[in-house]
Amino acid sequence: MKTIQHTTKWTKTLAAAGLAGILMVSASGHSSAHAQVQSDSGNGQITAPVLATKMVTSKKLHSSEKWLKTDITIPVFQGLADSKYQDQLNDIIETHASKDLAKWEKAAAEASTLAKKNGYAMHPYQLLIQYELTSDGSDNGMVSLKITTEGTGMNNPDTRVDTYNFTNEAQAKRVTLENLFGNKYLSILDAYIKSAIAAEQEHYFKGKDGFQNIHPEQSFYVKDGHAHIVFQKYSIAPGSTGTPEFAVKLPDQIKVHGAVQAIIPSSKHYIGKDGKLMILLANVLRQLN
């Protein structure tokens, strides 16, 4: 599958100060004024805080249903800056997994009853739920999680990918594709994906059944400087293609935004319509003492 390659690392430092009332940092990473700020380590750089504890631990869910084999591991967040959001997120993740488990237990039990009634061999159903923390926020302030659920019964595997993207701060906020790519994200991502599909058209549906456009609630996760746009199985391609993903390089402005978030809370800055990140100079000076 064709992807857009990433060639740069996200920055961890920010030179901050200025002569005007507002400091503007452009998408290319250049500010209107510069000043080096000495850190405690004396190396002249401000670095993102080191995570004191492991952000995610694992929890296993099990089934007592004879005809369902399970391998279910879900994430449990701990130590997030927003404890209320953390509790809500953990509850949502476990609730979804529990509902999937109950659904497949019911399907397996019904299938075994039908098999016994009709005298044919019953093969156990299977349910696999696994997760990957693709970004822990240490580089850019954004946490990104991917959870894959795959159930297998009498037919082909039923696969679903769920993603969660948010900022780890006192008031956690959901991160969207518009936050990452700006207000023209629809046209930007549509162009990338259509180009990638055209290069391997034999693996995708054509015409009205194929890819049309990105929608605001499109699933994605961030990993290694790319936004991985996820499509569910059968949505734009036959089952043999699985769950298509398209890795699109993040804009350079994210390097700057991530560095800002390391020292300036999101409540103290905002992103303008032109994609520039705006910070009140007073907030910069106050943060830097």
Side-chain angles (χ1 to χ4, degrees), residues 69-73 126-130 148-152:
K69 293 183 177 181
T70 62
D71 184 359
I72 303 174
T73 305
Q126 298 181 22
L127 177 61
L128 172 67
I129 301 179
Q130 300 293 307
T148 303
T149 302
E150 183 174 334
T152 305

Side-chain angles (χ1 to χ4, degrees), residues 219-239:
S219 294
F220 75 95
Y221 62 91
V222 168
K223 183 178 181 180
D224 298 333
H226 289 73
H228 294 253
I229 315 301
V230 180
F231 291 86
Q232 302 300 338
K233 194 173 183 179
Y234 302 113
S235 61
I236 62 171

Side-chain angles (χ1 to χ4, degrees), residues 67-69 103-104 106-127 150-158 233-234:
W67 295 106
L68 179 65
K69 293 183 177 181
K103 182 185 76 172
W104 282 94
K106 180 181 179 181
E110 292 176 347
S112 65
T113 299
L114 189 61
K116 183 178 180 179
K117 178 180 179 180
N118 292 288
Y120 58 80
M122 172 66 186
H123 298 286
Y125 280 24
Q126 298 181 22
L127 177 61
E150 183 174 334
T152 305
M154 300 294 289
N155 301 313
N156 293 325
D158 181 10
K233 194 173 183 179
Y234 302 113

Side-chain angles (χ1 to χ4, degrees), residues 54 65 74 97-98 137 168 183 198 227-228 242 245-246 249 252 256:
K54 188 176 181 181
E65 168 56 47
I74 62 173
S98 297
N168 183 17
N183 56 13
H228 294 253
E245 294 186 4
F246 301 88
K249 179 183 174 183
D252 289 340
V256 177

Side-chain angles (χ1 to χ4, degrees), residues 9-286:
K9 294 182 178 180
W10 290 16
T11 186
K12 292 184 179 180
T13 63
L14 173 67
L19 300 177
I22 294 180
L23 174 65
M24 297 185 295
V25 183
S26 69
S28 62
H30 300 292
S31 62
S32 60
H34 302 274
Q36 189 177 56
V37 180
Q38 191 72 18
S39 68
D40 291 339
S41 62
N43 61 7
Q45 293 183 331
I46 298 174
T47 59
V50 177
L51 295 177
T53 60
K54 188 176 181 181
M55 178 177 286
V56 171
T57 58
S58 298
K59 181 177 182 178
K60 301 284 289 188
L61 299 184
H62 303 280
S63 173
S64 58
E65 168 56 47
K66 176 182 178 181
W67 295 106
L68 179 65
K69 293 183 177 181
T70 62
D71 184 359
I72 303 174
T73 305
I74 62 173
V76 179
F77 283 94
Q78 59 181 9
L80 294 183
D82 188 338
S83 59
K84 182 178 179 180
Y85 182 88
Q86 173 180 282
D87 292 342
Q88 292 174 340
L89 180 59
N90 287 336
D91 182 65
I92 289 172
I93 292 172
E94 183 166 353
T95 297
H96 284 177
S98 297
K99 287 182 177 180
D100 285 321
L101 177 57
K103 182 185 76 172
W104 282 94
E105 284 179 331
K106 180 181 179 181
E110 292 176 347
S112 65
T113 299
L114 189 61
K116 183 178 180 179
K117 178 180 179 180
N118 292 288
Y120 58 80
M122 172 66 186
H123 298 286
Y125 280 24
Q126 298 181 22
L127 177 61
L128 172 67
I129 301 179
Q130 300 293 307
Y131 75 89
E132 179 185 3
L133 185 67
T134 59
S135 176
D136 65 5
S138 58
D139 285 338
N140 50 66
M142 173 181 169
V143 179
S144 193
L145 175 72
K146 174 186 179 183
I147 299 179
T148 303
T149 302
E150 183 174 334
T152 305
M154 300 294 289
N155 301 313
N156 293 325
D158 181 10
T159 304
R160 186 185 76 249
V161 176
D162 297 310
T163 59
Y164 302 85
N165 305 282
F166 59 92
T167 59
N168 183 17
E169 52 189 338
Q171 291 185 328
K173 297 180 180 64
R174 187 170 70 97
V175 177
T176 67
L177 288 171
E178 184 174 7
N179 295 146
L180 297 179
F181 292 93
N183 56 13
K184 295 183 179 180
Y185 75 103
L186 292 174
S187 59
I188 293 172
L189 297 178
D190 284 352
Y192 275 132
I193 293 172
K194 287 178 180 179
S195 176
I197 289 177
E200 298 181 336
Q201 184 60 70
E202 66 275 14
H203 298 300
Y204 298 90
F205 295 140
K206 296 181 179 180
K208 64 179 182 179
D209 294 326
F211 172 73
Q212 301 300 318
N213 54 263
I214 289 288
H215 59 82
E217 298 301 320
Q218 186 74 46
S219 294
F220 75 95
Y221 62 91
V222 168
K223 183 178 181 180
D224 298 333
H226 289 73
H228 294 253
I229 315 301
V230 180
F231 291 86
Q232 302 300 338
K233 194 173 183 179
Y234 302 113
S235 61
I236 62 171
S240 57
T241 303
T243 54
E245 294 186 4
F246 301 88
V248 184
K249 179 183 174 183
L250 291 168
D252 289 340
Q253 68 183 38
I254 302 306
K255 296 186 294 185
V256 177
H257 294 179
V260 170
Q261 288 181 345
I263 59 173
I264 306 293
S266 65
S267 60
K268 303 298 183 181
H269 66 260
Y270 65 95
I271 301 174
K273 294 181 178 180
D274 57 0
K276 291 182 178 180
L277 189 145
M278 313 290 287
I279 312 171
L280 289 175
L281 181 57
N283 289 334
V284 175
L285 298 178
R286 186 178 302 111

